[in-house]
Amino acid sequence: MIASLALLLGLVVGGGAVVWYGGPYVVEPPAAHSSHDDMASMDGSSEIGMGADSTGEMTMEDDSTGRAGSSSGQAAGLAKYDTDGDGYVYQGGMHPDIVRDESGQCPICGMDLTRTPIGEQEGSTVKVSPATVQNIGVRSQTVAVEPLARTVRTTGRFEANERLATAVAPKVGGWVETLHVDYEGARVQKGEPLFDLYSPQLVATQEEYLAALRTADRLGSDDGAQRLVDAARRRLSYWDISEDQIKSLEETRTPMRTLTFTAPSTGTVTTKKITEGEKLSPGQTLFHITGLSPLWLMVDVYEQDLSWIDVGSRAQVELPYSPGRTVTGRVEYIYDEVDTDTRTVRARIAVPNPNRTLKPGMYATVRLSGGEATPHPVVPSSAIVSSGEREIVIRALGDGRFRPVPVHTGRSADGRTQVLHGLNGGERVVTSAQFLIDSEARLSGALAAMDDSTSMQGAGHQH
């Protein structure tokens, strides 16, 4: 009686043999199969399962649950399970790897197996039941072909336009008799007086010029006398004496004790280095005059954003100290060096400032609009499934059929990604629940078929 119970227990637990050790009955675990002849399931149907070896690779093994192998089952299609040749097999709706040639229930979830035509799942196309598609919330979108644009947001700081900066440095020494502009920040127009200079050299040169004029008047059209006049006149002009002052000297025939130096350009006096009565040397810089329209806006662009920015890119400038006000400009220049600390590159934007409301040193928020003219297929970034080594999108073929397509992606911007190879535009791709589709339909087998990986022949064991 005890032997019979032990024998029955061994058969139920695992089909193991009962071994007598002279004491209690012990049930051994089932022995590993070693030949194809041992493939027999509990219900007598021939079924194929999927397992894993110690390396983690998918392998084929016998299984009484009737699972379809992911490595070769999808690659070879469902035709290999159609033993009666009627063109149909029965597949699990929630577990598509369960495939039988006769109706029944899924051994995992207990649901009835779905009758499936074998022609609908050949090659790399897989099919998911409509109920499953609805339950997991599959969404798809048509692939558009268009240029991809991106807006880069950064900050910037206003600086004076170096091209509009002018230095006032007299070429002759002397003393400042009168200082007409006596503070920094003064706004001047071109030709306005800056200071009056007394210079013994200038007085002597004026005397030489007047002497040459008197000689020329006495000798008439003598060429030598005219050359002396021209030489003295050039010396005055080289020292930045204006034409109006030289003409006044010719009319009055009296040397002027001081000469007035005027502003060479319109702008703001940003530097003043002289006081009234002070002596100056030839070439000494007395003033810096800088134009403030347009201003330069210096922005920092990160390395990964440089491909979107180019000379001429449009810039929209938002001023935090003036809410609601925006100023537009264009990227005028991109500098050649990368800041090693911030990993950014400076870009320069010319911003109009006709009313001088913008000040050097102010900060601003900048949105740079960049893009490229070449159109490419564009998909939502959520549609890209990346394994680390390659990227795919899942095409929705309709009627619950899906197909993974390898793609080569380009730039990404604002949640969208370019597809350089793999799509032509107009296809529908899955944008949500891709991973659930992969789990339900065992897309790994379909991907293995696309890669032309070596399919396992038959349903042999891995040893």
Side-chain angles (χ1 to χ4, degrees), residues 57-99:
E57 298 293 334
M58 303 308 298
T59 59
M60 302 299 299
E61 63 179 12
D62 291 340
D63 190 354
S64 61
T65 60
R67 296 196 179 196
S70 293
S71 294
S72 63
Q74 298 291 351
L78 298 179
K80 63 184 300 181
Y81 307 106
D82 183 21
T83 58
D84 57 8
D86 64 351
Y88 289 90
V89 294
Y90 293 85
Q91 191 173 18
M94 295 297 293
H95 301 87
D97 55 329
I98 303 299
V99 182

Side-chain angles (χ1 to χ4, degrees), residues 80-195:
K80 63 184 300 181
Y81 307 106
D82 183 21
T83 58
D84 57 8
D86 64 351
Y88 289 90
V89 294
Y90 293 85
Q91 191 173 18
M94 295 297 293
H95 301 87
D97 55 329
I98 303 299
V99 182
R100 291 181 178 178
D101 193 31
E102 58 185 12
S103 61
Q105 293 182 336
C106 176
I108 299 177
C109 62
M111 295 179 61
D112 290 337
L113 300 179
T114 303
R115 190 168 183 259
T116 305
I118 60 176
E120 291 192 6
Q121 200 154 337
E122 294 296 329
S124 62
T125 301
V126 295
K127 183 176 178 63
V128 179
S129 65
T132 302
V133 170
Q134 182 176 4
N135 290 337
I136 64 179
V138 177
R139 293 184 178 87
S140 62
Q141 179 175 322
T142 303
V143 178
V145 179
E146 59 187 8
L148 188 63
R150 182 183 178 186
T151 299
V152 177
R153 185 177 183 274
T154 183
T155 57
R157 182 177 183 273
F158 286 105
E159 295 182 2
N161 191 336
E162 295 177 4
R163 293 174 176 171
L164 302 179
T166 306
V168 178
K171 301 177 179 65
V172 61
W175 287 262
V176 176
E177 291 279 324
T178 304
L179 196 60
H180 298 285
V181 177
D182 54 1
Y183 64 96
E184 291 183 358
R187 298 172 183 173
V188 297
Q189 298 292 325
K190 184 177 181 179
E192 287 186 2
L194 295 177
F195 61 93

Side-chain angles (χ1 to χ4, degrees), residues 160-168 264-266 268 270 288-292:
N161 191 336
E162 295 177 4
R163 293 174 176 171
L164 302 179
T166 306
V168 178
S265 62
T266 299
T268 301
T270 55
H288 280 113
I289 300 174
T290 305
L292 299 181

